[in-house]
């Protein structure tokens, strides 16, 4: 019968022949560096942008809102998610992606070894469109400067857009999400990976493997960057 070599056996053999070192394999499977640590000087902070957004009346969505859903997460996150706009639960709690779709997004984030607190999550529009409809182009146009300023303040290494609305408004294109997902795009030098919206996956579970593949791409890009 063949005897299985254990790490201890190898380590004691190496010691016997005068080698005192056996590298320890990463226990975390190559953990992702979630946030930039060096202090950043210069530009405006997320808090300054939030202050302004909280009193925004640039479009009619302000009339129906309970809260301004500015964004949440690590201000130095290397991974930024962009969704469409707050739904009812988000409008109530003032935080993006806290309903059923949000729980699915959280699972995908955890699957690549990160938590919600490691990443940053924002939307194209910060106020809830009535009846959860998609934001109108003029609403998106009024709100996008906030998101662009958030991106400049955070300086993420990678952006992931969730669904067609986020993809089309953030990048100013008409790409179909079924074709664009999993294909890297560029926003002012920042790699952008479009994937499906979690609410779409809740209704179309057979496509979830495509999102999981996209999250593997995100993880790979964060590990190598
Ligand atoms: N859907 C979105 O696009 N954004 C949210 O914040 C919640 C649901």
């Amino acid at each position: 019968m063949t005897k299985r070599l254990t790490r201890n056996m190898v380590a004691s053999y190496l010691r016997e022949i005068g080698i005192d070192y056996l590298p320890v394999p990463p226990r975390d499977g190559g953990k992702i560096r979630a946030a930039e640590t060096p202090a950043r000087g210069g530009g405006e902070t997320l808090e300054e942008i939030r202050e302004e957004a909280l009193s925004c009346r640039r479009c009619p969505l302000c009339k129906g809102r309970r809260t301004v859903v500015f964004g949440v997460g690590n201000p130095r996150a290397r991974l930024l998610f962009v969704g469409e706009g707050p739904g009812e639960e988000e409008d109530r709690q003032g935080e993006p992606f806290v309903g059923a779709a949000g729980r699915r997004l959280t699972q995908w984030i955890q699957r690549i070894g990160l938590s919600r607190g490691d990443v940053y999550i924002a939307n194209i529009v910060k106020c809830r469109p009535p009846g959860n409809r998609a934001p109108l182009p003029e609403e998106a146009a009024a709100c996008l400067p906030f998101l662009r300023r958030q991106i400049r303040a955070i300086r993420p290494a990678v952006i992931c857009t969730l669904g067609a609305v986020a993809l089309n408004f953030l990048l100013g294109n008409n790409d179909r999400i079924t074709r664009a997902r999993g294909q890297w795009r560029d926003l002012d030098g920042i790699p952008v990976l479009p994937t499906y919206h979690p609410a779409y996956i809740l209704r179309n579970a057979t496509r979830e493997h495509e999102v999981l593949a996209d999250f593997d791409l995100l993880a790979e890009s964060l590990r190598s960057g």
Side-chain angles (χ1 to χ4, degrees), residues 15 26 53 55 61 71 85-86 95 120 139 143 149 158 168 179 208:
R15 262 197 306 276
S55 57
L61 291 184
E95 182 172 328
Y120 197 89
E139 295 159 354
C143 211
R149 287 162 65 188
V158 177
N168 297 155
R179 284 177 184 220
E208 190 167 24

Side-chain angles (χ1 to χ4, degrees), residues 7-8 10-11 14-15 20-31:
R7 272 184 71 77
N8 279 347
V10 174
L14 288 175
R15 262 197 306 276
D20 209 0
Y21 172 71
L22 186 60
V24 181
R27 305 187 67 162
D28 52 20
K31 204 170 182 311

Side-chain angles (χ1 to χ4, degrees), residues 28-214:
D28 52 20
K31 204 170 182 311
I32 293 171
R33 187 165 49 89
E36 286 300 341
T37 37
R40 302 229 177 98
E44 62 183 350
T45 65
L46 284 176
E47 276 323 302
E48 287 161 350
I49 307 164
R50 182 200 298 273
E51 267 310 297
E52 199 178 313
L54 291 185
S55 57
C56 175
R57 306 196 68 78
R58 291 182 198 175
C59 88
L61 291 184
C62 67
K63 294 191 198 117
R65 76 181 173 217
R66 271 188 271 203
T67 60
V68 173
V69 182
F70 178 71
V72 72
N74 191 323
R76 287 181 179 163
R78 295 181 66 232
L79 175 56
L80 165 69
F81 289 96
V82 177
E84 182 176 318
E88 186 176 9
E89 202 47 45
E90 289 77 20
D91 177 51
R92 199 191 314 272
Q93 295 190 34
E95 182 172 328
F97 284 100
V98 286
R103 284 191 288 281
R104 184 58 59 97
L105 174 63
T106 304
Q107 286 171 8
W108 296 339
I109 293 169
Q110 289 169 345
R111 191 177 161 274
I112 59 167
L114 298 175
S115 68
R116 275 175 75 100
D118 287 326
V119 303
Y120 197 89
I121 309 175
N123 280 310
I124 294 289
V125 292
K126 313 285 187 232
C127 300
R128 183 191 177 205
N132 291 346
R133 66 158 167 75
L136 302 173
E138 53 272 27
E139 295 159 354
C143 211
L144 266 169
F146 285 121
L147 181 58
R148 293 207 189 93
R149 287 162 65 188
Q150 284 173 295
I151 294 172
R152 275 199 295 277
I154 298 166
R155 294 211 276 147
V158 177
I159 298 175
C160 176
T161 54
L162 300 163
V165 170
L167 164 68
N168 297 155
F169 282 130
L170 184 64
L171 298 189
N173 65 29
N174 273 321
D175 290 357
R176 296 176 73 94
I177 186 64
T178 42
R179 284 177 184 220
R181 71 135 279 275
Q183 310 285 328
W184 288 102
R185 301 283 197 261
D186 175 273
L187 179 74
D188 303 330
I190 305 172
V192 177
L193 190 71
T195 195
Y196 293 122
H197 194 285
Y200 171 76
I201 296 301
L202 292 178
R203 301 188 303 271
N204 299 274
T206 57
R207 304 209 87 142
E208 190 167 24
H209 69 279
E210 297 173 66
V211 177
L212 301 185
D214 296 342

